[in-house]
Amino acid sequence: MEREVAIIAYAQTPYEADANASREMQVLQVAKAALEAVGLKQEDRYTVITANNDYLDGRTISNMRLVEPAAAWHKNESKVEMDGAYAAIYGLMRILSGDHDVALIIGESQASVYARWIPGIMMFDPTFDRQRWLLNEVSAAALQARAYMNAFGVSEEQIAGVAAKNLDNASRNPLAFNKLAGASSEKVLSSRKLYEPITELMVAPYCDGACALVLAAGEMAKKAEKPVWIKGVGFAHDSYLTERPLEEMTSLKMAAEKAYAMAGIKDPVSQVDLAEVHENFAHEELMGYEALGFCGRGEGGAFFDSGATKRDGKLPVNASGGAIGANVVCATGLARIIEAAIQIRGEAGERQIPGVKTAVATGQTGPCAQESVVFVLGGE
Amino acid sequence: MGAGIDIGPVPRSSIPINPAFQWSVGNWMDYFYDGLKEGKIRGSKCPECGKVSLPPRMVCQHCFAKCEDWVELPETGTVESFTMAHVKVGANGELEDLPQPEIIVMVKHDGADTCVAARLEGQNASVGMKVKAVIDPEAENFVNMLAGYRPAE
Ligand SMILES: [Zn+2]
């Protein structure tokens, strides 16, 4: 990259379900914590990008009243109506343009104020699918899971195993919303049947929260303690779900190829120490292993069975519990970047994986991961 | 939550807002729905690469071209994927149990390059299964005229 850009601070609220914890207070909490961590004040020069959603917030131009808590008054704040990982890309670009040295990135939403699965239905084609009321995020994911299982012989037990791993990992994360120490695939498979093969515990649970990170270049980055450098990024947008092969995550694969090329990653398994993968459903993590080049096409199930992605494996995935631990729309992918940075900085407490130097984080937006973002991060 | 500001229990007021939208399905989908009234299944075709979309699409993603050609497709197709639904999204946005599980399929019609998501009659499905469209020109909501599928054999 033209300029070296680092993550120099981060903050997350606990992920929970509390309609009274207004989005303003959640954003204020993370913006304050992230800015104060690096001694920034509102009068300092920085840019702000928020990730939030008009439909989820129930108001048009949902960032209008986030100007104050996001410390964005009179700044060139703008928002992305997508996952917060896109806000991080946008902030990175503003820094790479040379216009700013510092960017504050914030993602937030409050599941306890919207009708849980209805905003997702509004993603689908309003001239056909939406009105037929058959496709929603879960049924669409189930169609993808079946296509994937059928193409490569992946089993329900393997998918349930991913959910169990992430629920158990989440039990070490004090911020996680859904956690279950010692979760087993049997437990996941015996949870409420939704759309086969998906059961309730395979679903990333919508909840409330906000998270923030500060990106910096130049002097701010140089003087920062424990900067986490952005080594590579990529993003790609695929077709609507009925118009593409569902058995693979093409947008994630394309995003990873770009990010790896930028970061000089040729053999991810040996060069990457940890990954935080935005999995809205357990099978997406298996598909993600393939798209991220951790294993070959169709080998996601076998790669999981090898134990490689467990806490003590050679490439732990979602040590935080991932999205299955907490899913705040517009913040989930950004939280993956933050969790990867926390691991590199060695600040993950009970969920720390030893010796993380290079980490991959992903974000996604749209049904069946229509759009994907990949970040490659590295320590000193 | 831990925002550091204790303002005590806040009575939760609910402020329902229900904005109404009048979507136009557009000329392409109008032509598709008009076809279903006569029992015809019409897909749009890209004049450059020849890919056929069902439901019809106005623009080819591969060629950046207007799909102004039309083809009439047979009622038959193949199940590309399926799910047994035990729930549906209720009016309050929560997943509510269905009285009887039902199957949702992704079907690629013979001659089409994209899929239709619809209900399949019965309680059995498999990938690769041959199915036949069920057309209901009298459907209460016109978007359901392509009502679903049934096993072809
Ligand atoms: Zn074309």
Side-chain angles (χ1 to χ4, degrees):
Chain A
M1 276 185 280
E2 293 290 309
R3 307 182 79 191
E4 296 293 309
V5 180
I7 294 167
I8 61 168
Y10 62 85
Q12 302 182 83
T13 62
Y15 298 112
E16 56 193 358
D18 179 6
N20 290 332
S22 65
R23 63 175 59 81
E24 288 82 358
M25 286 301 114
Q26 292 186 318
V27 168
L28 180 68
Q29 183 187 347
V30 295
K32 245 186 197 312
L35 291 175
E36 283 175 7
V38 284
L40 283 165
K41 297 196 166 52
Q42 180 156 334
E43 55 267 30
D44 293 330
R45 181 174 164 81
Y46 56 86
T47 182
V48 183
I49 298 104
T50 60
N52 46 99
N53 180 292
D54 292 1
Y55 199 94
L56 300 185
D57 279 7
R59 64 180 136 195
T60 308
I61 325 292
S62 54
N63 53 332
M64 267 196 316
R65 292 320 299 262
L66 291 182
V67 168
E68 307 90 340
W73 182 63
H74 284 186
K75 305 222 179 279
N76 66 343
E77 186 270 357
S78 56
K79 80 161 183 184
V80 295
E81 190 127 0
M82 295 163 87
D83 187 86
Y86 276 89
I89 294 232
Y90 198 165
L92 172 69
M93 288 176 180
R94 280 197 191 158
I95 292 175
L96 291 175
S97 78
D99 194 42
H100 280 84
D101 280 350
V102 182
L104 172 64
I105 317 294
I106 298 169
E108 64 86 20
S109 65
Q110 265 198 306
S112 54
V113 307
Y114 60 78
R116 197 179 313 268
W117 295 107
I118 290 184
I121 290 176
M122 300 300 155
M123 287 192 297
F124 294 96
D125 180 358
T127 69
F128 189 72
D129 290 319
R130 182 202 292 185
Q131 300 189 54
R132 289 157 70 87
W133 211 257
L134 295 173
L135 291 185
N136 54 61
E137 285 156 289
V138 194
S139 63
L143 290 165
Q144 179 162 48
R146 177 66 61 193
Y148 175 59
M149 292 164 76
N150 188 72
F152 303 117
V154 171
S155 69
E156 289 182 14
E157 286 72 20
Q158 287 168 324
I159 294 171
V162 169
K165 168 182 73 70
N166 292 358
L167 287 164
D168 181 59
N169 285 351
S171 70
R172 292 176 192 78
N173 180 353
L175 302 174
F177 175 69
N178 237 13
K179 39 183 105 186
L180 198 56
S184 64
S185 51
E186 293 73 30
K187 172 96 183 165
V188 172
L189 287 172
S190 65
S191 64
R192 185 183 177 202
K193 279 196 172 95
L194 303 177
Y195 292 89
E196 290 182 36
I198 294 178
T199 65
E200 192 159 43
L201 288 177
M202 296 177 190
V203 181
Y206 285 141
C207 55
D208 304 354
C211 61
L213 59 78
V214 179
L215 299 179
E219 282 308 305
M220 276 298 286
K222 273 194 207 104
K223 70 176 192 200
E225 279 175 48
K226 295 196 271 185
V228 172
W229 299 98
I230 297 175
K231 301 285 190 186
V233 292
F235 53 109
H237 196 154
D238 202 1
S239 327
Y240 186 66
L241 80 162
T242 56
E243 297 164 23
R244 62 176 140 121
L246 281 182
E247 69 274 14
E248 57 191 335
M249 289 197 164
T250 307
S251 69
L252 184 60
K253 186 168 191 286
M254 294 175 77
E257 282 165 2
K258 291 180 203 172
Y260 290 170
M262 199 187 272
I265 303 275
K266 293 191 173 64
D267 176 19
V269 176
S270 66
Q271 289 177 272
V272 176
D273 303 311
L274 169 135
E276 282 284 328
V277 175
H278 180 169
E279 81 313 7
N280 283 334
F281 300 89
H283 65 277
E284 292 181 355
E285 186 178 306
L286 295 176
M287 299 179 75
Y289 300 160
E290 300 175 21
L292 292 166
F294 298 167
C295 60
R297 187 167 184 266
E299 293 169 2
F303 189 67
F304 174 75
D305 287 343
S306 78
T309 61
K310 292 186 173 158
R311 282 183 52 77
D312 58 358
K314 62 182 171 185
L315 209 177
V317 175
N318 288 331
S320 64
I324 283 178
N327 188 16
V328 173
V329 181
C330 295
T332 305
L334 185 59
R336 305 280 68 74
I337 297 171
I338 291 172
E339 284 291 337
I342 290 174
Q343 290 281 351
I344 290 170
R345 285 166 62 128
E347 296 170 351
E350 213 190 321
R351 63 188 184 283
Q352 183 68 46
I353 304 294
V356 178
K357 291 189 175 65
T358 302
V360 164
T362 79
Q364 61 154 294
T365 296
C368 301
Q370 185 168 334
E371 301 170 66
S372 298
V373 178
V374 172
F375 273 73
V376 180
L377 305 177
E380 300 275 25
Chain B
M1 64 157 283
I5 300 164
D6 184 11
I7 48 175
V10 180
R12 182 166 172 185
S13 333
S14 173
I15 308 166
I17 301 171
N18 296 302
F21 290 80
Q22 293 288 330
W23 261 89
S24 161
V25 300
N27 294 337
W28 267 251
M29 288 304 280
D30 247 351
Y31 190 64
F32 167 71
Y33 289 123
D34 283 348
L36 287 172
K37 280 183 207 158
E38 304 160 25
K40 291 178 181 162
I41 299 171
R42 291 169 178 157
S44 65
K45 186 175 176 180
C46 171
E48 293 187 19
C49 68
K51 282 202 179 358
V52 172
S53 296
L54 184 75
R57 286 291 169 256
M58 291 182 251
V59 181
C60 176
Q61 62 190 5
H62 304 278
C63 309
F64 191 47
K66 251 192 205 178
C67 298
E68 289 180 302
D69 296 343
W70 289 88
V71 285
E72 199 178 321
L73 293 166
E75 292 179 333
T76 50
T78 306
V79 171
E80 295 280 311
S81 190
F82 68 92
T83 177
M84 174 77 82
H86 295 266
V87 293
K88 66 167 186 176
V89 176
N92 65 356
E94 298 299 326
L95 295 172
E96 55 190 46
D97 289 323
L98 289 171
Q100 168 91 24
E102 58 183 35
I103 294 173
I104 301 169
V105 281
M106 290 266 258
V107 173
K108 196 172 271 184
H109 271 249
D110 296 337
D113 295 289
T114 66
C115 288
V116 177
R119 266 194 202 92
L120 175 70
E121 290 178 2
Q123 293 285 308
N124 291 298
S126 57
V127 175
M129 180 181 184
K130 300 288 174 204
V131 293
K132 211 167 169 209
V134 178
I135 297 171
D136 175 14
E138 309 294 319
E140 206 175 313
N141 184 344
F142 69 91
V143 298
N144 292 322
M145 284 194 288
L146 180 48
Y149 293 88
R150 61 166 184 266
E153 281 102 34

